[in-house]
Amino acid sequence: MANSMVKECLRNFVKEARELYMNEGVPYLEHPIRPLDFYREWISPNKPCIIRNAFNHWPALQKWGFSYLREVVGSKEISVAVTPNGYADAVHGDRFVMPEERRMRLSAVLDLMEEKPRGSGVFYVQKQCSNLTEELPELTGDLEPHIPWMSEALGKRPDAVNFWLGEAEAITSMHKDHYENLYCVISGEKQFILLPPSDRPFIPYELYQPAKYHQKEDGSFEVLDVTDADKVPWIPLDPLNPDLGRFPEYRFAQPLHCTVKAGEMLYLPSLWFHHVQQSHGCIAVNFWYDMEFDIKYNYFQLLEALSQATRPL
């Protein structure tokens, strides 16, 4: 009885959250607004938006094609995630499987993007430790080191600036981050599925043995367990094809879908769940600003604990 009462309270909580502050879609801003206004209208209420004309002045928008990248940084070695199916950091069977991390010249990655041999795996430049500044500093002059109006709104600089380049088959599984995220698409487009933190009661989490893909000499992949590592909590549900028989609560979720095109910037608020697809060869840069671990974070932790407590055994 107590469990069913908590579930009912959680559903009412989500319903009220949608009525009070959620938009039915992801709104567009035609240009950046004043830092204080952006904080009041988007950061504080934890609402996403797509901003146009936010980085038209970056040379990267005109320069960053494959030929330019070959010329400027083609000889640089970078970290590349390699998987058999395009899913890096995702649930596969009863394992949470991470990609094989491979050091490659960027020119070799571009070769694969243009003339990929069949059965060679899926490649994604996705290392998220400020790989733009750490691995490709030659490109930093083509954009800003931070987003000035966002830095002023938050009173700090970004923790990381990440460079993304991948195949259409490379998909980011549903997850959340503890960052205020500004995601800038330079070429191609990204398709996002978004769910607010308030939908946490409908999103399943399970614990998984961590493992990694490894490509063998014959080109096939094997899954190798990461020994002496704690189990990883991750979302087993695929929002592209949700198994409502296994995860019936997800039918109450109301995901938002949006496409971020070249020259557009997505503000993805902290703790929002997101799943990402992309066009082939899409190039993007994102800025991660650490979130404030304030009372809103405490509320989310309580919501997460109640959601876990009411999940079926």
Side-chain angles (χ1 to χ4, degrees):
M1 176 65 75
N3 191 293
S4 63
M5 289 178 64
V6 173
K7 279 190 174 182
E8 185 63 26
C9 287
L10 289 173
R11 288 176 188 167
N12 287 334
F13 163 81
V14 176
K15 181 175 180 290
E16 290 179 355
R18 288 173 183 155
E19 291 173 349
L20 286 171
Y21 87 102
M22 281 294 298
N23 295 307
E24 293 185 359
V26 180
Y28 284 85
L29 304 181
E30 287 304 316
H31 51 77
I33 59 178
R34 294 187 309 164
L36 180 58
D37 291 337
F38 192 81
Y39 188 88
R40 287 173 172 169
E41 295 175 25
W42 303 102
I43 299 173
S44 181
N46 196 241
K47 294 165 61 172
C49 62
I50 296 172
I51 309 162
R52 294 178 170 135
N53 303 302
F55 54 98
N56 290 350
H57 54 292
W58 290 1
L61 266 181
Q62 284 72 44
K63 290 183 175 181
W64 282 14
F66 281 14
S67 60
Y68 177 80
L69 294 178
R70 283 184 196 281
E71 179 184 346
V72 177
V73 288
S75 62
K76 296 296 294 286
E77 276 204 349
I78 59 170
S79 298
V80 183
V82 187
T83 63
N85 55 11
Y87 281 85
D89 301 323
V91 174
H92 179 71
D94 61 351
R95 295 290 191 269
F96 170 74
V97 189
M98 295 169 282
E100 177 179 312
E101 289 285 348
R102 194 177 299 175
R103 297 293 295 179
M104 298 176 61
R105 288 178 183 264
L106 182 59
S107 59
V109 179
L110 297 174
D111 289 343
L112 289 166
M113 298 281 173
E114 292 179 328
E115 297 183 33
K116 176 186 167 188
R118 295 189 65 183
S120 62
V122 178
F123 293 75
Y124 196 10
V125 180
Q126 58 142 37
K127 193 171 180 65
Q128 298 153 39
C129 299
S130 209
N131 66 334
L132 178 69
T133 56
E134 296 299 315
E135 296 188 333
L136 300 168
E138 296 85 353
L139 296 178
T140 57
D142 294 335
L143 43 72
E144 294 171 295
H146 67 114
I147 305 299
W149 49 267
M150 186 64 159
S151 299
E152 183 176 343
L154 294 172
K156 55 190 168 188
R157 294 290 187 96
D159 281 22
V161 185
N162 304 309
F163 175 87
W164 307 78
L165 168 65
E167 303 183 62
E169 295 87 353
I171 294 174
T172 303
S173 68
M174 182 78 80
H175 70 288
K176 69 180 187 302
D177 298 309
H178 296 88
Y179 294 102
E180 308 296 346
N181 188 352
L182 290 178
Y183 206 102
C184 309
V185 176
I186 306 297
S187 70
E189 63 182 36
K190 297 264 184 176
Q191 297 87 37
F192 286 82
I193 299 175
L194 307 177
L195 286 156
S198 53
D199 269 12
R200 174 61 182 87
F202 310 142
I203 299 172
Y205 268 87
E206 295 179 4
L207 289 173
Y208 294 93
Q209 167 66 40
K212 283 191 174 184
Y213 284 116
H214 174 257
Q215 191 169 25
K216 297 188 288 187
E217 290 186 5
D218 65 1
S220 64
F221 284 82
E222 60 183 342
V223 175
L224 303 177
D225 283 347
V226 177
T227 57
D228 301 323
D230 293 335
K231 288 191 173 183
V232 176
W234 206 257
I235 300 169
L237 178 136
D238 181 358
L240 298 176
N241 185 28
D243 185 347
L244 298 181
R246 184 180 172 193
F247 308 114
E249 291 294 307
Y250 188 72
R251 71 186 187 275
F252 297 111
Q254 293 184 13
L256 304 179
H257 297 254
C258 68
T259 297
V260 185
K261 299 179 180 179
E264 295 179 342
M265 171 191 290
L266 171 67
Y267 167 55
L268 177 59
S270 56
L271 302 178
W272 272 67
F273 299 92
H274 52 287
H275 172 282
V276 193
Q277 297 174 278
Q278 64 195 336
S279 60
H280 188 74
C282 179
I283 302 172
V285 171
N286 83 304
F287 297 79
W288 267 344
Y289 290 82
D290 200 12
M291 68 174 285
E292 293 297 327
F293 290 83
D294 52 16
I295 191 64
K296 286 195 294 186
Y297 180 71
N298 294 139
Y299 289 147
F300 179 77
Q301 290 291 86
L302 174 61
L303 179 63
E304 189 150 65
L306 291 171
S307 301
Q308 285 294 102
T310 57
R311 66 187 292 269
L313 298 177

